[in-house]
Short mmCIF file of all heavy atoms in Angstrom, two decimals:
data_model
loop_
_atom_site.label_atom_id
_atom_site.label_comp_id
_atom_site.label_asym_id
_atom_site.label_seq_id
_atom_site.Cartn_x
_atom_site.Cartn_y
_atom_site.Cartn_z
N MET Q 23 -22.82 78.70 -4.44
CA MET Q 23 -23.93 78.07 -3.85
C MET Q 23 -23.51 77.22 -2.74
O MET Q 23 -22.44 76.49 -2.82
CB MET Q 23 -24.69 77.24 -4.88
CG MET Q 23 -25.86 76.49 -4.33
SD MET Q 23 -26.80 75.72 -5.62
CE MET Q 23 -27.62 77.15 -6.26
N VAL Q 24 -24.20 77.16 -1.68
CA VAL Q 24 -23.96 76.28 -0.45
C VAL Q 24 -24.94 75.20 -0.45
O VAL Q 24 -26.16 75.49 -0.59
CB VAL Q 24 -24.01 77.18 0.88
CG1 VAL Q 24 -23.79 76.30 1.96
CG2 VAL Q 24 -22.98 78.30 0.81
N ILE Q 25 -24.45 74.03 -0.38
CA ILE Q 25 -25.31 72.78 -0.15
C ILE Q 25 -25.17 72.20 1.10
O ILE Q 25 -24.09 71.79 1.46
CB ILE Q 25 -25.04 71.75 -1.37
CG1 ILE Q 25 -25.17 72.42 -2.70
CG2 ILE Q 25 -25.97 70.58 -1.25
CD1 ILE Q 25 -24.61 71.60 -3.86
N SER Q 26 -26.27 72.09 1.91
CA SER Q 26 -26.20 71.52 3.24
C SER Q 26 -26.96 70.26 3.13
O SER Q 26 -28.19 70.24 2.95
CB SER Q 26 -26.83 72.51 4.21
OG SER Q 26 -26.85 71.85 5.47
N LEU Q 27 -26.23 69.11 3.28
CA LEU Q 27 -27.02 67.80 3.31
C LEU Q 27 -27.72 67.54 4.64
O LEU Q 27 -27.15 67.72 5.66
CB LEU Q 27 -26.00 66.67 2.99
CG LEU Q 27 -25.40 66.69 1.61
CD1 LEU Q 27 -24.43 65.61 1.51
CD2 LEU Q 27 -26.54 66.50 0.53
N LEU Q 28 -28.93 67.08 4.59
CA LEU Q 28 -29.70 66.88 5.75
C LEU Q 28 -29.57 65.48 6.23
O LEU Q 28 -30.12 65.04 7.26
CB LEU Q 28 -31.17 67.23 5.53
CG LEU Q 28 -31.45 68.70 5.19
CD1 LEU Q 28 -32.88 68.93 4.78
CD2 LEU Q 28 -30.90 69.66 6.24
N VAL Q 29 -29.04 64.57 5.41
CA VAL Q 29 -28.91 63.14 5.66
C VAL Q 29 -27.42 62.74 5.52
O VAL Q 29 -26.67 63.42 4.82
CB VAL Q 29 -29.77 62.20 4.75
CG1 VAL Q 29 -31.25 62.53 4.96
CG2 VAL Q 29 -29.40 62.45 3.30
N ARG Q 30 -27.02 61.71 6.21
CA ARG Q 30 -25.71 61.11 6.12
C ARG Q 30 -25.75 59.70 5.39
O ARG Q 30 -26.82 59.20 5.31
CB ARG Q 30 -25.11 60.86 7.55
CG ARG Q 30 -24.99 62.02 8.31
CD ARG Q 30 -24.42 61.81 9.79
NE ARG Q 30 -24.82 60.49 10.29
CZ ARG Q 30 -23.94 59.60 10.74
NH1 ARG Q 30 -22.63 59.86 10.85
NH2 ARG Q 30 -24.31 58.45 11.29
N PRO Q 31 -24.60 59.22 4.91
CA PRO Q 31 -24.71 57.87 4.36
C PRO Q 31 -25.21 56.95 5.42
O PRO Q 31 -24.76 56.93 6.57
CB PRO Q 31 -23.19 57.58 4.10
CG PRO Q 31 -22.58 58.92 3.85
CD PRO Q 31 -23.30 59.92 4.80
N GLY Q 32 -26.10 56.16 4.98
CA GLY Q 32 -26.73 55.10 5.88
C GLY Q 32 -27.95 55.65 6.61
O GLY Q 32 -28.65 54.80 7.19
N SER Q 33 -28.31 56.93 6.46
CA SER Q 33 -29.55 57.44 7.04
C SER Q 33 -30.75 56.92 6.24
O SER Q 33 -30.65 56.62 4.99
CB SER Q 33 -29.50 58.98 6.99
OG SER Q 33 -28.51 59.36 7.85
N HIS Q 34 -31.83 56.92 6.94
CA HIS Q 34 -33.10 56.59 6.31
C HIS Q 34 -33.73 57.87 5.60
O HIS Q 34 -33.66 58.87 6.18
CB HIS Q 34 -34.14 56.01 7.28
CG HIS Q 34 -33.68 54.69 7.84
ND1 HIS Q 34 -33.79 53.50 7.26
CD2 HIS Q 34 -33.16 54.44 9.06
CE1 HIS Q 34 -33.39 52.54 7.96
NE2 HIS Q 34 -32.95 53.09 9.08
N ALA Q 35 -34.17 57.68 4.43
CA ALA Q 35 -34.80 58.80 3.63
C ALA Q 35 -36.13 58.25 3.13
O ALA Q 35 -36.26 57.34 2.48
CB ALA Q 35 -33.92 59.28 2.62
N ILE Q 36 -37.20 59.08 3.48
CA ILE Q 36 -38.55 58.67 3.02
C ILE Q 36 -38.77 59.46 1.79
O ILE Q 36 -38.42 60.61 1.59
CB ILE Q 36 -39.57 59.06 4.12
CG1 ILE Q 36 -39.31 58.23 5.33
CG2 ILE Q 36 -40.96 58.78 3.55
CD1 ILE Q 36 -40.12 58.67 6.55
N ASP Q 37 -39.45 58.84 0.80
CA ASP Q 37 -39.72 59.43 -0.46
C ASP Q 37 -40.44 60.73 -0.29
O ASP Q 37 -41.44 60.81 0.44
CB ASP Q 37 -40.55 58.46 -1.40
CG ASP Q 37 -40.63 58.97 -2.76
OD1 ASP Q 37 -39.80 59.72 -3.25
OD2 ASP Q 37 -41.64 58.49 -3.48
N GLY Q 38 -39.96 61.81 -0.93
CA GLY Q 38 -40.57 63.11 -0.88
C GLY Q 38 -39.99 63.99 0.18
O GLY Q 38 -40.33 65.15 0.27
N THR Q 39 -39.11 63.46 1.09
CA THR Q 39 -38.59 64.19 2.18
C THR Q 39 -37.27 64.96 1.64
O THR Q 39 -36.52 64.40 0.78
CB THR Q 39 -38.18 63.35 3.25
OG1 THR Q 39 -39.28 62.58 3.79
CG2 THR Q 39 -37.57 64.09 4.48
N ALA Q 40 -37.05 66.15 2.11
CA ALA Q 40 -35.85 66.86 1.66
C ALA Q 40 -34.58 66.23 2.15
O ALA Q 40 -34.49 65.79 3.26
CB ALA Q 40 -35.95 68.34 2.19
N ILE Q 41 -33.55 66.14 1.26
CA ILE Q 41 -32.29 65.55 1.59
C ILE Q 41 -31.13 66.62 1.70
O ILE Q 41 -30.16 66.34 2.14
CB ILE Q 41 -31.89 64.43 0.66
CG1 ILE Q 41 -31.83 64.92 -0.80
CG2 ILE Q 41 -32.84 63.22 0.82
CD1 ILE Q 41 -31.20 63.97 -1.74
N ALA Q 42 -31.47 67.87 1.17
CA ALA Q 42 -30.58 68.83 1.12
C ALA Q 42 -31.19 70.20 1.04
O ALA Q 42 -32.30 70.32 0.68
CB ALA Q 42 -29.59 68.77 -0.06
N VAL Q 43 -30.41 71.21 1.53
CA VAL Q 43 -30.93 72.62 1.34
C VAL Q 43 -29.88 73.34 0.56
O VAL Q 43 -28.65 73.24 0.84
CB VAL Q 43 -31.03 73.23 2.85
CG1 VAL Q 43 -31.36 74.68 2.74
CG2 VAL Q 43 -32.07 72.55 3.68
N LEU Q 44 -30.34 74.08 -0.35
CA LEU Q 44 -29.42 74.93 -1.28
C LEU Q 44 -29.58 76.32 -0.98
O LEU Q 44 -30.75 76.81 -0.76
CB LEU Q 44 -29.74 74.58 -2.70
CG LEU Q 44 -29.31 73.28 -3.36
CD1 LEU Q 44 -30.01 72.08 -2.71
CD2 LEU Q 44 -29.48 73.27 -4.81
N TRP Q 45 -28.49 77.06 -0.94
CA TRP Q 45 -28.58 78.43 -0.57
C TRP Q 45 -27.54 79.24 -1.47
O TRP Q 45 -26.49 78.72 -1.69
CB TRP Q 45 -28.24 78.65 0.92
CG TRP Q 45 -28.49 79.99 1.39
CD1 TRP Q 45 -29.62 80.46 1.94
CD2 TRP Q 45 -27.50 81.10 1.51
NE1 TRP Q 45 -29.45 81.78 2.25
CE2 TRP Q 45 -28.21 82.21 2.02
CE3 TRP Q 45 -26.18 81.27 1.13
CZ2 TRP Q 45 -27.57 83.48 2.13
CZ3 TRP Q 45 -25.60 82.44 1.30
CH2 TRP Q 45 -26.29 83.51 1.86
N PRO Q 46 -27.88 80.37 -1.90
CA PRO Q 46 -29.03 81.23 -1.67
C PRO Q 46 -30.21 80.81 -2.54
O PRO Q 46 -30.02 80.28 -3.68
CB PRO Q 46 -28.53 82.64 -2.10
CG PRO Q 46 -27.43 82.38 -3.13
CD PRO Q 46 -26.84 81.08 -2.71
N PRO Q 47 -31.45 81.06 -2.01
CA PRO Q 47 -32.55 80.58 -2.71
C PRO Q 47 -32.71 81.12 -4.13
O PRO Q 47 -33.38 80.50 -5.05
CB PRO Q 47 -33.80 80.97 -1.81
CG PRO Q 47 -33.17 81.39 -0.52
CD PRO Q 47 -31.74 81.67 -0.72
N ASP Q 48 -32.27 82.34 -4.39
CA ASP Q 48 -32.47 82.93 -5.68
C ASP Q 48 -31.68 82.29 -6.77
O ASP Q 48 -31.92 82.41 -7.99
CB ASP Q 48 -32.17 84.41 -5.63
CG ASP Q 48 -30.77 84.79 -5.23
OD1 ASP Q 48 -30.20 83.93 -4.51
OD2 ASP Q 48 -30.19 85.83 -5.60
N ARG Q 49 -30.63 81.42 -6.35
CA ARG Q 49 -29.86 80.72 -7.39
C ARG Q 49 -30.33 79.24 -7.66
O ARG Q 49 -29.73 78.51 -8.44
CB ARG Q 49 -28.36 80.72 -6.98
CG ARG Q 49 -27.79 82.09 -7.11
CD ARG Q 49 -26.35 82.12 -6.77
NE ARG Q 49 -25.59 81.22 -7.63
CZ ARG Q 49 -24.38 80.79 -7.40
NH1 ARG Q 49 -23.75 81.18 -6.26
NH2 ARG Q 49 -23.76 80.02 -8.18
N VAL Q 50 -31.26 78.84 -6.80
CA VAL Q 50 -31.77 77.50 -6.91
C VAL Q 50 -32.78 77.32 -7.91
O VAL Q 50 -33.82 78.03 -8.01
CB VAL Q 50 -32.46 77.02 -5.55
CG1 VAL Q 50 -32.99 75.63 -5.60
CG2 VAL Q 50 -31.43 77.11 -4.47
N GLY Q 51 -32.59 76.39 -8.89
CA GLY Q 51 -33.53 76.14 -9.92
C GLY Q 51 -33.54 74.68 -10.22
O GLY Q 51 -32.95 73.85 -9.51
N HIS Q 52 -34.20 74.22 -11.33
CA HIS Q 52 -34.28 72.80 -11.67
C HIS Q 52 -32.90 72.27 -11.95
O HIS Q 52 -32.56 71.11 -11.62
CB HIS Q 52 -35.21 72.64 -12.87
CG HIS Q 52 -36.59 72.91 -12.52
ND1 HIS Q 52 -37.44 72.20 -11.69
CD2 HIS Q 52 -37.44 74.02 -12.92
CE1 HIS Q 52 -38.61 72.67 -11.54
NE2 HIS Q 52 -38.64 73.75 -12.38
N GLU Q 53 -31.95 72.98 -12.56
CA GLU Q 53 -30.69 72.48 -12.88
C GLU Q 53 -29.89 72.13 -11.59
O GLU Q 53 -29.28 71.04 -11.51
CB GLU Q 53 -29.95 73.55 -13.74
CG GLU Q 53 -28.61 73.01 -14.09
CD GLU Q 53 -27.84 74.07 -15.05
OE1 GLU Q 53 -28.52 74.94 -15.64
OE2 GLU Q 53 -26.58 73.99 -15.02
N ALA Q 54 -29.93 73.13 -10.62
CA ALA Q 54 -29.15 72.89 -9.39
C ALA Q 54 -29.77 71.72 -8.53
O ALA Q 54 -28.98 70.90 -8.03
CB ALA Q 54 -29.13 74.18 -8.56
N SER Q 55 -31.04 71.74 -8.38
CA SER Q 55 -31.66 70.63 -7.62
C SER Q 55 -31.55 69.26 -8.39
O SER Q 55 -31.29 68.35 -7.67
CB SER Q 55 -33.13 70.94 -7.33
OG SER Q 55 -33.89 71.00 -8.47
N GLY Q 56 -31.55 69.24 -9.62
CA GLY Q 56 -31.29 68.04 -10.42
C GLY Q 56 -29.85 67.58 -10.20
O GLY Q 56 -29.62 66.34 -10.09
N ALA Q 57 -29.00 68.49 -10.17
CA ALA Q 57 -27.42 68.10 -9.95
C ALA Q 57 -27.27 67.47 -8.57
O ALA Q 57 -26.54 66.48 -8.51
CB ALA Q 57 -26.58 69.35 -10.14
N VAL Q 58 -27.96 68.04 -7.60
CA VAL Q 58 -27.82 67.38 -6.23
C VAL Q 58 -28.47 66.03 -6.16
O VAL Q 58 -27.86 65.08 -5.72
CB VAL Q 58 -28.50 68.30 -5.22
CG1 VAL Q 58 -28.53 67.67 -3.82
CG2 VAL Q 58 -27.72 69.58 -5.09
N ASN Q 59 -29.59 65.89 -6.81
CA ASN Q 59 -30.29 64.55 -6.88
C ASN Q 59 -29.41 63.58 -7.59
O ASN Q 59 -29.41 62.31 -7.28
CB ASN Q 59 -31.66 64.66 -7.49
CG ASN Q 59 -32.64 65.23 -6.56
OD1 ASN Q 59 -32.54 65.16 -5.37
ND2 ASN Q 59 -33.68 65.91 -7.16
N ASP Q 60 -28.70 63.98 -8.72
CA ASP Q 60 -27.89 63.02 -9.46
C ASP Q 60 -26.66 62.57 -8.60
O ASP Q 60 -26.09 61.55 -8.88
CB ASP Q 60 -27.35 63.74 -10.74
CG ASP Q 60 -28.48 63.95 -11.75
OD1 ASP Q 60 -29.53 63.30 -11.58
OD2 ASP Q 60 -28.35 64.71 -12.66
N CYS Q 61 -26.19 63.40 -7.61
CA CYS Q 61 -25.04 63.03 -6.82
C CYS Q 61 -25.42 62.15 -5.61
O CYS Q 61 -24.48 61.63 -4.99
CB CYS Q 61 -24.40 64.29 -6.27
SG CYS Q 61 -23.67 65.24 -7.60
N VAL Q 62 -26.63 61.93 -5.31
CA VAL Q 62 -27.09 61.14 -4.19
C VAL Q 62 -27.68 59.84 -4.58
O VAL Q 62 -28.51 59.83 -5.54
CB VAL Q 62 -28.11 61.85 -3.37
CG1 VAL Q 62 -28.62 61.06 -2.17
CG2 VAL Q 62 -27.52 63.18 -2.85
N THR Q 63 -27.16 58.76 -4.06
CA THR Q 63 -27.71 57.48 -4.42
C THR Q 63 -28.55 56.89 -3.29
O THR Q 63 -28.18 56.94 -2.09
CB THR Q 63 -26.53 56.36 -4.64
OG1 THR Q 63 -25.65 56.86 -5.62
CG2 THR Q 63 -27.01 55.07 -4.97
N VAL Q 64 -29.74 56.44 -3.58
CA VAL Q 64 -30.62 55.96 -2.60
C VAL Q 64 -30.84 54.45 -2.90
O VAL Q 64 -31.16 54.06 -4.08
CB VAL Q 64 -32.01 56.67 -2.65
CG1 VAL Q 64 -32.95 56.09 -1.60
CG2 VAL Q 64 -31.73 58.22 -2.41
N GLY Q 65 -30.67 53.63 -1.93
CA GLY Q 65 -30.90 52.26 -2.14
C GLY Q 65 -31.73 51.59 -0.99
O GLY Q 65 -32.23 52.33 -0.09
N GLN Q 66 -31.94 50.27 -1.12
CA GLN Q 66 -32.77 49.68 -0.13
C GLN Q 66 -32.07 49.20 1.17
O GLN Q 66 -32.77 49.02 2.16
CB GLN Q 66 -33.29 48.36 -0.81
CG GLN Q 66 -34.19 48.55 -2.00
CD GLN Q 66 -35.54 49.16 -1.62
OE1 GLN Q 66 -36.06 48.98 -0.48
NE2 GLN Q 66 -35.96 50.20 -2.43
N ALA Q 67 -30.75 49.24 1.10
CA ALA Q 67 -30.01 48.77 2.36
C ALA Q 67 -28.67 49.59 2.39
O ALA Q 67 -28.22 50.19 1.38
CB ALA Q 67 -29.68 47.28 2.27
N ARG Q 68 -28.17 49.59 3.67
CA ARG Q 68 -26.80 50.27 3.78
C ARG Q 68 -25.78 49.56 3.02
O ARG Q 68 -25.70 48.27 2.91
CB ARG Q 68 -26.44 50.36 5.20
CG ARG Q 68 -27.48 51.24 6.03
CD ARG Q 68 -27.25 51.07 7.51
NE ARG Q 68 -26.21 51.97 7.93
CZ ARG Q 68 -25.88 52.25 9.19
NH1 ARG Q 68 -26.48 51.64 10.11
NH2 ARG Q 68 -24.95 53.01 9.50
N SER Q 69 -24.74 50.24 2.51
CA SER Q 69 -23.74 49.66 1.73
C SER Q 69 -22.39 49.92 2.39
O SER Q 69 -22.04 51.05 2.70
CB SER Q 69 -23.67 50.32 0.33
OG SER Q 69 -22.53 50.02 -0.40
N PRO Q 70 -21.48 48.92 2.55
CA PRO Q 70 -20.25 49.19 3.11
C PRO Q 70 -19.27 50.02 2.26
O PRO Q 70 -18.42 50.69 2.78
CB PRO Q 70 -19.66 47.80 3.39
CG PRO Q 70 -20.52 46.90 2.51
CD PRO Q 70 -21.83 47.48 2.36
N ASP Q 71 -19.59 50.07 1.00
CA ASP Q 71 -18.77 50.94 0.11
C ASP Q 71 -19.00 52.36 0.34
O ASP Q 71 -18.15 53.18 0.17
CB ASP Q 71 -19.05 50.60 -1.34
CG ASP Q 71 -18.68 49.17 -1.67
OD1 ASP Q 71 -17.77 48.59 -1.04
OD2 ASP Q 71 -19.22 48.59 -2.59
N GLN Q 72 -20.24 52.83 0.69
CA GLN Q 72 -20.56 54.14 0.81
C GLN Q 72 -20.70 54.61 2.32
O GLN Q 72 -20.86 55.80 2.55
CB GLN Q 72 -21.85 54.44 0.02
CG GLN Q 72 -21.66 54.14 -1.45
CD GLN Q 72 -23.02 54.31 -2.18
OE1 GLN Q 72 -24.00 54.31 -1.58
NE2 GLN Q 72 -22.92 54.38 -3.57
N ASP Q 73 -20.92 53.63 3.19
CA ASP Q 73 -21.18 53.91 4.51
C ASP Q 73 -20.11 53.23 5.41
O ASP Q 73 -20.30 52.10 5.85
CB ASP Q 73 -22.60 53.48 4.91
CG ASP Q 73 -23.07 53.86 6.19
OD1 ASP Q 73 -22.24 54.55 6.98
OD2 ASP Q 73 -24.17 53.46 6.69
N VAL Q 74 -19.10 54.00 5.85
CA VAL Q 74 -17.95 53.27 6.58
C VAL Q 74 -18.47 52.93 7.99
O VAL Q 74 -18.08 51.89 8.50
CB VAL Q 74 -16.84 54.38 6.75
CG1 VAL Q 74 -15.70 53.76 7.59
CG2 VAL Q 74 -16.25 54.64 5.27
N GLU Q 75 -19.42 53.77 8.53
CA GLU Q 75 -19.93 53.42 9.92
C GLU Q 75 -20.58 52.05 9.91
O GLU Q 75 -20.53 51.32 10.87
CB GLU Q 75 -20.87 54.55 10.29
CG GLU Q 75 -21.39 54.27 11.71
CD GLU Q 75 -22.44 55.43 12.17
OE1 GLU Q 75 -22.74 56.26 11.27
OE2 GLU Q 75 -22.85 55.34 13.29
N PHE Q 76 -21.30 51.70 8.76
CA PHE Q 76 -21.99 50.46 8.70
C PHE Q 76 -21.00 49.27 8.79
O PHE Q 76 -21.26 48.27 9.49
CB PHE Q 76 -22.73 50.36 7.26
CG PHE Q 76 -23.34 49.05 7.06
CD1 PHE Q 76 -24.34 48.58 7.82
CD2 PHE Q 76 -22.81 48.25 6.03
CE1 PHE Q 76 -24.91 47.32 7.58
CE2 PHE Q 76 -23.43 47.00 5.79
CZ PHE Q 76 -24.46 46.55 6.58
N GLU Q 77 -19.90 49.37 8.10
CA GLU Q 77 -18.82 48.34 8.21
C GLU Q 77 -18.22 48.12 9.52
O GLU Q 77 -17.98 47.07 10.05
CB GLU Q 77 -17.69 48.68 7.19
CG GLU Q 77 -16.78 47.50 6.88
CD GLU Q 77 -17.41 46.30 6.17
OE1 GLU Q 77 -18.49 46.57 5.53
OE2 GLU Q 77 -16.92 45.27 6.21
N VAL Q 78 -18.04 49.27 10.29
CA VAL Q 78 -17.54 49.26 11.67
C VAL Q 78 -18.55 48.53 12.55
O VAL Q 78 -18.16 47.69 13.45
CB VAL Q 78 -17.16 50.62 12.19
CG1 VAL Q 78 -16.84 50.62 13.63
CG2 VAL Q 78 -15.99 51.25 11.37
N LEU Q 79 -19.85 48.83 12.35
CA LEU Q 79 -20.83 48.11 13.23
C LEU Q 79 -21.00 46.69 12.97
O LEU Q 79 -21.17 45.95 13.82
CB LEU Q 79 -22.21 48.84 12.96
CG LEU Q 79 -22.37 50.33 13.44
CD1 LEU Q 79 -23.67 50.90 12.95
CD2 LEU Q 79 -22.26 50.37 14.98
N VAL Q 80 -20.72 46.31 11.68
CA VAL Q 80 -20.77 44.83 11.40
C VAL Q 80 -19.61 44.16 12.11
O VAL Q 80 -19.79 43.02 12.71
CB VAL Q 80 -20.74 44.66 9.86
CG1 VAL Q 80 -20.44 43.22 9.51
CG2 VAL Q 80 -22.00 45.15 9.20
N LEU Q 81 -18.41 44.78 11.96
CA LEU Q 81 -17.22 44.17 12.71
C LEU Q 81 -17.45 44.11 14.23
O LEU Q 81 -17.15 43.18 14.89
CB LEU Q 81 -15.99 44.90 12.35
CG LEU Q 81 -15.38 44.69 10.95
CD1 LEU Q 81 -14.27 45.64 10.77
CD2 LEU Q 81 -14.98 43.29 10.87
N GLU Q 82 -18.05 45.23 14.80
CA GLU Q 82 -18.31 45.18 16.28
C GLU Q 82 -19.30 44.12 16.61
O GLU Q 82 -19.10 43.43 17.60
CB GLU Q 82 -18.88 46.63 16.60
CG GLU Q 82 -19.34 46.71 17.97
CD GLU Q 82 -19.99 48.01 18.26
OE1 GLU Q 82 -20.16 48.88 17.45
OE2 GLU Q 82 -20.56 48.20 19.45
N GLU Q 83 -20.36 43.90 15.87
CA GLU Q 83 -21.28 42.85 16.14
C GLU Q 83 -20.66 41.47 16.03
O GLU Q 83 -20.94 40.62 16.93
CB GLU Q 83 -22.48 42.93 15.14
CG GLU Q 83 -23.55 41.94 15.46
CD GLU Q 83 -24.76 42.07 14.48
OE1 GLU Q 83 -24.85 43.08 13.73
OE2 GLU Q 83 -25.60 41.18 14.51
N MET Q 84 -19.75 41.31 15.12
CA MET Q 84 -19.11 40.00 14.95
C MET Q 84 -18.19 39.70 16.25
O MET Q 84 -18.17 38.60 16.75
CB MET Q 84 -18.21 40.01 13.74
CG MET Q 84 -17.61 38.61 13.50
SD MET Q 84 -16.29 38.58 12.06
CE MET Q 84 -16.97 39.81 10.91
N ALA Q 85 -17.47 40.79 16.65
CA ALA Q 85 -16.62 40.65 17.82
C ALA Q 85 -17.42 40.30 19.17
O ALA Q 85 -17.07 39.44 19.90
CB ALA Q 85 -15.79 41.88 18.03
N VAL Q 86 -18.52 41.02 19.36
CA VAL Q 86 -19.39 40.81 20.51
C VAL Q 86 -19.98 39.42 20.48
O VAL Q 86 -20.04 38.69 21.54
CB VAL Q 86 -20.47 41.86 20.57
CG1 VAL Q 86 -21.49 41.55 21.62
CG2 VAL Q 86 -19.91 43.22 20.83
N ARG Q 87 -20.42 38.97 19.31
CA ARG Q 87 -20.97 37.58 19.29
C ARG Q 87 -19.97 36.49 19.46
O ARG Q 87 -20.19 35.52 20.04
CB ARG Q 87 -21.70 37.38 17.86
CG ARG Q 87 -22.93 38.13 17.73
CD ARG Q 87 -23.59 37.82 16.48
NE ARG Q 87 -24.90 38.61 16.36
CZ ARG Q 87 -25.82 38.34 15.45
NH1 ARG Q 87 -25.64 37.32 14.58
NH2 ARG Q 87 -26.93 39.11 15.54
N ALA Q 88 -18.69 36.80 19.04
CA ALA Q 88 -17.63 35.88 19.25
C ALA Q 88 -17.26 35.67 20.67
O ALA Q 88 -16.84 34.59 21.14
CB ALA Q 88 -16.37 36.20 18.43
N LEU Q 89 -17.49 36.67 21.48
CA LEU Q 89 -17.12 36.70 22.90
C LEU Q 89 -18.34 36.19 23.82
O LEU Q 89 -18.11 36.10 24.97
CB LEU Q 89 -16.62 38.03 23.40
CG LEU Q 89 -15.25 38.43 22.91
CD1 LEU Q 89 -14.85 39.77 23.30
CD2 LEU Q 89 -14.21 37.41 23.26
N SER Q 90 -19.44 35.99 23.14
CA SER Q 90 -20.67 35.60 23.98
C SER Q 90 -20.32 34.12 24.60
O SER Q 90 -19.60 33.42 24.11
CB SER Q 90 -21.91 35.51 23.06
OG SER Q 90 -21.78 34.43 22.21
N PRO Q 91 -20.94 33.94 25.75
CA PRO Q 91 -20.68 32.58 26.43
C PRO Q 91 -21.03 31.40 25.58
O PRO Q 91 -20.41 30.43 25.68
CB PRO Q 91 -21.62 32.67 27.66
CG PRO Q 91 -21.91 34.17 27.90
CD PRO Q 91 -21.83 34.77 26.51
N GLY Q 92 -21.99 31.54 24.71
CA GLY Q 92 -22.35 30.35 23.85
C GLY Q 92 -21.33 30.06 22.83
O GLY Q 92 -21.11 28.97 22.43
N THR Q 93 -20.63 31.07 22.33
CA THR Q 93 -19.67 30.87 21.28
C THR Q 93 -18.23 30.76 21.85
O THR Q 93 -17.48 29.91 21.52
CB THR Q 93 -19.70 31.96 20.22
OG1 THR Q 93 -21.05 32.10 19.75
CG2 THR Q 93 -18.79 31.72 19.01
N ASN Q 94 -17.84 31.79 22.59
CA ASN Q 94 -16.54 31.87 23.25
C ASN Q 94 -15.41 31.61 22.30
O ASN Q 94 -14.64 30.70 22.44
CB ASN Q 94 -16.47 30.94 24.46
CG ASN Q 94 -15.26 31.27 25.31
OD1 ASN Q 94 -14.71 32.37 25.24
ND2 ASN Q 94 -14.94 30.41 26.23
N ASP Q 95 -15.27 32.54 21.26
CA ASP Q 95 -14.25 32.36 20.25
C ASP Q 95 -13.40 33.63 20.28
O ASP Q 95 -13.61 34.57 19.49
CB ASP Q 95 -14.94 32.19 18.85
CG ASP Q 95 -13.98 32.06 17.80
OD1 ASP Q 95 -12.72 31.88 17.99
OD2 ASP Q 95 -14.39 32.07 16.60
N PRO Q 96 -12.39 33.74 21.12
CA PRO Q 96 -11.57 34.87 21.21
C PRO Q 96 -10.80 35.18 19.94
O PRO Q 96 -10.42 36.34 19.65
CB PRO Q 96 -10.72 34.66 22.40
CG PRO Q 96 -10.73 33.19 22.70
CD PRO Q 96 -12.01 32.70 22.08
N TYR Q 97 -10.42 34.19 19.16
CA TYR Q 97 -9.64 34.38 17.98
C TYR Q 97 -10.44 35.24 16.99
O TYR Q 97 -9.90 36.22 16.42
CB TYR Q 97 -9.31 33.03 17.33
CG TYR Q 97 -8.50 33.18 16.09
CD1 TYR Q 97 -7.10 33.50 16.18
CD2 TYR Q 97 -9.05 33.00 14.80
CE1 TYR Q 97 -6.38 33.54 14.94
CE2 TYR Q 97 -8.38 33.15 13.73
CZ TYR Q 97 -6.98 33.44 13.75
OH TYR Q 97 -6.29 33.55 12.66
N THR Q 98 -11.72 34.99 16.81
CA THR Q 98 -12.52 35.75 15.92
C THR Q 98 -12.76 37.20 16.42
O THR Q 98 -12.68 38.17 15.67
CB THR Q 98 -13.93 35.16 15.72
OG1 THR Q 98 -13.73 33.84 15.14
CG2 THR Q 98 -14.79 35.97 14.78
N ALA Q 99 -12.87 37.31 17.73
CA ALA Q 99 -13.06 38.59 18.40
C ALA Q 99 -11.87 39.41 18.19
O ALA Q 99 -11.90 40.68 17.83
CB ALA Q 99 -13.35 38.46 19.87
N VAL Q 100 -10.65 38.95 18.38
CA VAL Q 100 -9.44 39.67 18.16
C VAL Q 100 -9.25 40.06 16.68
O VAL Q 100 -8.83 41.15 16.35
CB VAL Q 100 -8.20 38.80 18.65
CG1 VAL Q 100 -6.85 39.45 18.20
CG2 VAL Q 100 -8.22 38.70 20.12
N ASN Q 101 -9.57 39.18 15.79
CA ASN Q 101 -9.46 39.62 14.30
C ASN Q 101 -10.47 40.62 14.00
O ASN Q 101 -10.23 41.47 13.08
CB ASN Q 101 -9.76 38.28 13.50
CG ASN Q 101 -8.54 37.44 13.43
OD1 ASN Q 101 -7.38 37.88 13.47
ND2 ASN Q 101 -8.73 36.06 13.37
N ALA Q 102 -11.63 40.64 14.58
CA ALA Q 102 -12.60 41.69 14.25
C ALA Q 102 -12.09 43.06 14.77
O ALA Q 102 -12.31 43.96 14.13
CB ALA Q 102 -13.96 41.33 14.87
#
């Protein structure tokens, strides 16, 4: 069976929207679709544990804010 995920970690998913496509269709049943649903965690916010891109964006935002004229903190920017 081939499972193609339609969403990535950190993507928005609306209730009732497909998150994966299973192929071939003749092998897809309640057991297979239930197994895929059990492997996917849906939460209210992005998590740095499951979404590496989110953590990088947080560090990037910290560095940019540290270099802003109002703050001007190069030490924090370098550490980020």
